[in-house]
Amino acid sequence: MKQSILIVDNDDNVRDNLSSRFNKIGMLTITAKDGFEGYTRACKELPNFLLASTLLPNINGFKLAYLLKHDERYENTSIILLTSNEIQNEENIFNDCKANYILKKPFKFSKLKSIMGLG
C-alpha cells in the first residue's frame, strides 16, 4: 500500500508543486487549503505524513500539529511544519506542538525527503 502525505498550504503553487513531486515518487497525496480543512482531512484520511505551513487560515500549522499529536490516533503520523520565519523565533511553540520537524522556506525537496526518511 502506498504511503500517503497530507499537504496543507494556502499557497496554491506550493501545494500543487509539492503534490506533484510526491506523486512522482509514488506517494498518495492529499491536499488542504487551510488548517481546518487540513484537520478534517487528517481525521478522515489518516495520512502517514503531514506537511503543513505554520501560517494557515483558520487553524495555524502549530495548532494543527498540537491537535493531532495530542490525539493517540496520530501519535505515529510524522508532522513536518514549514515556516518563513526564523526557526529560533518559533522554537518554544514548535516544542509545545510536538511536531516532528520544522523546516525553513525555501527548502530543497531532497532535504524534505531526507527528513521524511524517503532517501
Side-chain angles (χ1 to χ4, degrees):
M1 185 167 183
K2 284 185 175 185
Q3 287 200 322
S4 59
I5 184 166
L6 171 57
I7 302 164
V8 188
D9 201 302
N10 57 324
D11 184 321
D12 293 341
N13 292 328
V14 170
R15 199 176 53 252
D16 293 346
N17 182 296
L18 287 170
S19 181
S20 173
R21 286 173 168 242
F22 281 111
N23 278 329
K24 285 180 183 176
I25 62 169
M27 292 186 76
L28 173 65
T29 58
I30 308 154
T31 60
K33 295 180 181 183
D34 64 50
F36 180 76
E37 182 184 5
Y39 181 74
T40 57
R41 296 293 305 263
C43 292
K44 181 180 172 187
E45 308 282 345
L46 300 170
N48 301 102
F49 298 94
L50 185 137
L51 184 61
S53 175
T54 57
L55 301 173
L56 293 170
N58 301 320
I59 298 174
N60 70 41
F62 294 112
K63 182 71 171 182
L64 176 59
Y66 181 88
L67 291 170
L68 293 173
K69 282 298 192 173
H70 287 83
D71 182 329
E72 64 187 29
R73 295 174 293 176
Y74 308 100
E75 288 174 340
N76 296 323
T77 300
S78 183
I79 299 178
I80 300 156
L81 298 176
L82 303 174
T83 186
S84 299
N85 299 326
E86 291 301 320
I87 292 174
Q88 300 87 321
N89 298 343
E90 298 183 333
E91 200 166 332
N92 288 340
I93 193 166
F94 168 71
N95 291 333
D96 290 343
C97 79
K98 305 289 186 215
N100 299 83
Y101 201 87
I102 189 166
L103 188 60
K104 184 164 174 26
K105 294 178 182 178
F107 57 88
K108 294 199 178 288
F109 188 68
S110 58
K111 168 107 175 159
L112 178 57
K113 286 190 334 183
S114 176
I115 290 166
M116 296 171 64
L118 301 173

